[in-house]
Amino acid sequence: MRRARTWLPGLLLVAPSIVAIGVFVYGMLGWNFRLAMTDKHDEVSEGKFVGLDNFVSIWDQPRWHISVNHAIMFTVVFVLGALVLGWFLAFLMEKGIRGEGTFRAIYLFPMAVSFVATGIVWRWLMNSGMEERAVGLNRLFDAIGLPQWQWFRDPDWGMAAMALPAIWQMSGYVMALFLAGFRGVPEELREAARVDGCGEWGVYRHVVLPLLRPVTLSALIILGHISLKVFDLIVAVSGKQIITDVPAVFMWVAVFDSHDPAKGATIASYIVLSVAVFVIPYLVWSVRKERRS
Amino acid sequence: MMRRRWTATVAITLASVLTLAACGGGGGKGAQPSSGGGDAKKQVEVFSWWTGPGEADGLKAMRQIFEQKNPSYTFFDAAVAGGSGDKAKALLQSKLQADTPPDTFQGHAGAELQGYIKAGDLEDLNFLYDELKLREVFPAQLVDQISVQGKVYSVPVNIHRSNVLWFNPSVLKEAGIAGAPKTLEEFVADLGKVKAKGKIPLSIGSEWTVTHLLESVLLGSLGTDAYNALFKPGADWSSPQVTKALETFKTIMSYAGDPQDDWQPAAKQVADGEAAFNIMGDWAYGYFHNPPDGGLGKTSKKDFDWAPSPGTEGTYLWLSDSFTLPKGAKNRDGAVAWLKVAASKEGQDAFNPKKGSIPARKDADQSLYTDYLADALKDWSSDKLAGSIQHGVSVNQPWLAAITEAVGLFIGSKDVAALQKALADAAKANAQ
């Protein structure tokens, strides 16, 4: 009885969220995986169990290859871009410039905007009209003598352009993460390095950067899972066109246009699995770290 | 101390459980208009995607007639914004799956409704067609093309035309083109002449506008009967005639300008004299002609002009918005009353001049339709009919999704053989 008093209140407190998450997250995930393993290719059929057939056959569809390639290109450009830009901004701030608070707020503001709003603005900025028809960035580039570009309509590198609004939106957040990381490096360590004859660059190279590894990893995970699930930004910029297709948009088309629930569920499963590739190692790593400390 | 902690725990737990319960209940209730008490008027929930200028005014005009004729019902406007109804259809899908359909919903007449019919969501309307003698007032070919095994499932309110070639007369004159091209061969030659002058020969919008272009090219190249046969069971999409049509399509696409965000900016290029031609449905007329609030305020025949798209003169490639009678809706009588207004001469003549379309009925008051619409009305009564692909007449939703995907891939690859194979596969998988 005494022992129950110690653990029962805690359990009661978290019970509602355990139930909610159990039903609405894990229950739905399981339901989705089960649906993906049936042949329910329209809303009315019963759906017999077909194992992993859908997971294999989707690789025969040219559109799936395109959307996977797009997702990879978007992820690489977005994650690297946001990490580098965020790190650079934090590096500048860390030098203790005047009005740091103001700058920090300015860089963080884009995060308060939804991807849809960002997308609508950038759709105009990245308009592919050239020369006398140019608007947005192409107009600006024309005025200052830079080459114009088709942006997200470029057949090969369009998805790299699509990553620009995402970088614009998320690099401030990465900056905040890194800035906290920089501030977490004890001054004594830096001084010790300087006493040992390290130059300012050497201090960063050998002391600060290694200590930033956990922050970098967190940023990588957060950006990576946003990037693999990206949907709203793409739809706001270009709608459901093949030229900017990604798995999440393909899933939407499969469910609501093709009326093929099994195909939609298969794509959804692949999205979850690809995010899991990022998240699970991170969870394992952080649990181990907590045990150690 | 201990006791206070317990009380707090119980309170928080209860609060979270209640919040959860509230979320669960609220979702269902919030989405439904309340049907009201005993003495309140009964609501009729009309679900559409008419929220833009023109179309919303048309809906309002029909609503006034409905409320005048049916004082015991109130009209509940459940319109969801978004062109061509993408978002509306997604919401409708979830309402139907949850068995809480609206009393009546908008859908393109024809094969687009097949999915709902197959799922048993719709009641057939033969009784209404018999009661109102609608088979006599709608063109026979129209009723034929929207019937599924002898049953009709919707009431067409308006007719739009898909195969319209819009052009800028002064750009044509500058390029030495006497008039609108009559055949696809002439069209390709004219596109070349415009290109030589440095203007955009053919403006296009996002990917769906290219599918829209494809249906006009298929009709122009194959002819009306062969086009209509493409959607019958066992149709042959891999014939050399289709190959020839798709090759022409590829040639025409090679003259297309940079894709614009949607159909409006593409149409605007023609109005502004940047581009010579654009193939778009006749909703573009309102955009060209209406005053700057919602339109471009251009003068017809001078700033812009129109003709049937090349090779399709004498054929009306049509599409139509229609209303349905879902099974299991709360107010069936109210929905039937709405359908009667939507089918009536009075209702259609109130709606269509505002929407910029023509009535499906043959007995419309001709004086209400001027300029482009007068031409359209004349053609509608005399032309052969062919059903649009992009706008849901000839193909059901999964089939259209497959065609859209094939065209999207073609824009990147320019591979006619792959396009034809994908179209043939789509027909095989979906024709019925």
Side-chain angles (χ1 to χ4, degrees):
Chain A
M1 188 58 212
R2 267 205 85 76
R3 291 188 63 186
R5 279 207 178 165
T6 54
W7 58 260
L8 195 59
L11 183 67
L12 273 182
L13 265 182
V14 292
S17 49
I18 289 181
V19 171
I21 290 175
V23 173
F24 291 109
V25 177
Y26 293 97
M28 295 293 171
L29 268 179
W31 179 81
N32 177 73
F33 275 105
R34 209 194 61 191
L35 180 59
M37 285 191 269
T38 64
D39 62 352
K40 191 173 164 64
H41 293 301
D42 55 57
E43 278 105 359
V44 284
S45 65
E46 277 301 312
K48 285 195 305 290
F49 182 80
V50 292
L52 295 175
D53 281 5
N54 294 327
F55 288 86
V56 177
S57 68
I58 197 163
W59 291 97
D60 298 335
Q61 301 187 13
R63 180 176 184 170
W64 175 244
H65 289 265
I66 288 179
S67 67
V68 168
N69 287 340
H70 282 169
I72 292 172
M73 186 189 291
F74 180 85
T75 302
V76 169
V77 176
F78 166 54
V79 171
L80 282 183
L83 277 181
V84 170
L85 189 61
W87 184 87
F88 182 68
L89 291 176
F91 175 74
L92 293 181
M93 297 281 216
E94 207 257 335
K95 303 312 283 178
I97 50 167
R98 201 188 303 172
E100 188 200 308
T102 316
F103 279 108
R104 208 164 46 199
I106 289 175
Y107 292 138
L108 263 176
F109 272 144
M111 242 193 93
V113 182
S114 84
F115 261 139
V116 173
T118 307
I120 286 169
V121 173
W122 278 81
R123 177 173 69 193
W124 180 81
L125 284 176
M126 299 197 292
N127 190 299
S128 59
M130 293 191 199
E131 283 136 35
E132 71 270 25
R133 283 186 289 279
V135 293
L137 287 174
N138 271 354
R139 181 78 157 264
L140 178 72
F141 280 22
D142 193 34
I144 58 177
L146 286 171
Q148 300 180 346
W149 194 34
Q150 285 194 298
W151 300 101
F152 64 91
R153 288 215 173 80
D154 184 279
D156 300 316
W157 297 97
M159 285 312 281
M162 192 61 100
L164 294 178
I167 295 174
W168 174 82
Q169 178 147 5
M170 297 304 292
S171 53
Y173 174 65
V174 178
M175 174 209 72
L177 285 181
F178 274 124
L179 200 54
F182 277 128
R183 298 276 148 84
V185 177
E187 193 54 33
E188 298 83 51
L189 283 182
R190 299 187 193 210
E191 296 212 327
R194 289 194 193 105
V195 169
D196 287 347
C198 236
E200 198 55 21
W201 176 243
V203 173
Y204 276 96
R205 171 77 189 74
H206 297 291
V207 179
V208 179
L209 279 187
L211 284 169
L212 282 182
R213 244 178 241 153
V215 178
T216 316
L217 191 65
S218 313
L220 190 73
I221 309 288
I222 291 164
L223 297 177
H225 93 274
I226 292 176
S227 167
L228 290 168
K229 293 188 300 193
V230 67
F231 172 80
D232 36 9
L233 176 69
I234 310 278
V235 171
V237 174
S238 105
K240 44 182 182 183
Q241 305 193 70
I242 303 274
I243 193 151
T244 53
D245 201 39
V246 291
V249 174
F250 191 7
M251 172 182 78
W252 180 42
V253 170
V255 174
F256 289 112
D257 292 350
S258 304
H259 293 267
D260 187 340
K263 186 168 159 190
T266 307
I267 300 170
S269 306
Y270 269 121
I271 297 175
V272 170
L273 289 173
S274 66
V275 172
V277 166
F278 267 90
V279 173
I280 289 176
Y282 173 72
L283 287 180
V284 171
W285 175 79
S286 60
V287 165
R288 274 206 200 129
K289 208 182 113 196
E290 270 171 32
R291 284 224 187 103
R292 255 184 280 141
S293 57
Chain B
M1 188 64 209
M2 200 66 191
R3 191 187 195 130
R4 265 183 68 190
R5 202 190 293 162
W6 263 100
T7 322
T9 310
V10 170
I12 293 173
T13 312
L14 272 179
S16 7
V17 169
L18 283 177
T19 316
L20 270 178
C23 287
K29 251 184 248 155
Q32 287 300 312
S34 61
S35 53
D39 57 340
K41 291 202 265 185
K42 278 188 91 179
Q43 271 189 341
V44 184
E45 185 187 358
V46 178
F47 184 96
S48 75
W49 54 85
W50 286 329
T51 55
E55 52 192 32
D57 303 331
L59 184 61
K60 212 169 120 198
M62 250 196 316
R63 169 189 184 156
Q64 275 163 0
I65 297 174
F66 172 75
E67 289 183 332
Q68 217 171 8
K69 287 193 169 173
N70 301 282
S72 57
Y73 295 127
T74 49
F75 178 98
F76 180 79
D77 186 0
V80 177
S84 78
D86 269 350
K87 290 171 199 91
K89 281 179 210 163
L91 176 63
L92 178 64
Q93 194 62 39
S94 21
K95 282 185 164 228
L96 290 174
Q97 297 230 318
D99 285 325
T100 54
D103 294 317
T104 177
F105 64 84
Q106 177 193 358
H108 287 131
E112 185 179 291
L113 300 175
Q114 265 177 21
Y116 305 126
I117 297 169
K118 227 166 91 187
D121 292 329
L122 295 183
E123 198 174 319
D124 82 75
L125 294 173
N126 282 10
F127 74 93
L128 196 69
Y129 274 65
D130 293 341
E131 185 191 327
L132 302 175
K133 304 207 173 6
L134 291 180
R135 284 173 209 279
E136 287 158 29
V137 293
F138 291 146
Q141 255 193 306
L142 171 72
V143 177
D144 183 45
Q145 286 178 6
I146 62 174
S147 295
V148 180
Q149 290 160 349
K151 291 178 179 167
V152 195
Y153 289 87
S154 68
V155 173
V157 182
N158 66 351
I159 298 292
H160 273 299
R161 186 173 196 170
S162 160
N163 58 327
V164 186
L165 177 74
W166 303 95
F167 55 92
N168 186 312
S170 42
V171 176
L172 259 60
K173 207 170 150 198
E174 195 184 312
I177 302 165
K182 298 270 183 208
T183 65
L184 284 167
E185 289 74 29
E186 278 177 49
F187 186 41
V188 171
D190 289 352
L191 290 172
K193 286 183 202 162
V194 177
K195 193 174 183 183
K197 289 283 170 195
K199 296 273 173 137
I200 301 170
L202 176 70
S203 66
I204 56 166
S206 50
E207 284 172 8
W208 75 263
T209 68
V210 179
T211 311
H212 184 105
L213 170 68
L214 173 66
E215 69 183 30
S216 271
V217 175
L218 278 176
L219 178 65
S221 179
L222 296 170
T224 312
D225 296 334
Y227 173 89
N228 280 335
L230 287 177
F231 311 102
K232 301 266 156 58
D236 184 14
W237 284 72
S238 42
S239 68
Q241 287 83 359
V242 175
T243 315
K244 182 167 167 269
L246 296 179
E247 289 289 352
T248 311
F249 174 61
K250 184 183 170 180
T251 313
I252 291 170
M253 276 300 289
S254 71
Y255 289 103
D258 285 332
Q260 302 298 301
D261 279 339
D262 208 339
W263 68 269
Q264 292 97 333
K268 189 168 182 294
Q269 288 184 323
V270 172
D272 292 348
E274 290 175 2
F277 296 105
N278 179 238
I279 290 183
M280 185 38 61
D282 58 8
W283 45 91
Y285 171 73
Y287 179 65
F288 283 129
H289 180 263
N290 288 351
D293 176 30
L296 297 172
K298 298 286 181 182
T299 314
S300 64
K301 304 282 178 190
K302 182 176 144 288
D303 299 325
F304 70 100
D305 203 348
W306 59 85
S309 68
T312 67
E313 197 169 349
T315 302
Y316 210 99
L317 188 57
W318 66 276
L319 59 124
S320 160
D321 294 302
S322 67
F323 280 98
T324 58
L325 186 58
K327 283 185 190 161
K330 280 190 306 198
N331 190 354
R332 183 180 179 276
D333 293 343
V336 171
W338 169 254
L339 292 178
K340 284 182 180 167
V341 172
S344 69
K345 178 171 183 292
E346 194 188 354
Q348 299 209 347
D349 275 344
F351 175 77
N352 284 299
K354 294 212 161 71
K355 164 88 161 105
S357 48
I358 58 167
R361 295 173 68 106
K362 291 183 288 187
D363 57 356
D365 179 357
Q366 300 206 354
S367 65
L368 292 170
Y369 303 89
T370 54
D371 207 22
Y372 167 79
L373 291 178
D375 277 12
L377 204 57
K378 195 174 96 234
D379 289 350
W380 175 245
S381 55
S382 58
D383 278 5
K384 286 203 243 177
L385 302 190
S388 161
I389 297 173
Q390 170 63 31
H391 308 284
V393 180
S394 296
V395 299
N396 58 31
Q397 295 185 38
W399 192 349
L400 174 58
I403 292 175
T404 309
E405 184 173 310
V407 172
L409 292 169
F410 171 81
I411 295 171
S413 70
K414 310 275 189 291
D415 183 344
V416 168
L419 173 61
Q420 188 168 14
K421 185 176 178 303
L423 292 175
D425 289 348
K428 225 173 282 165
N430 294 293
Q432 46 195 323

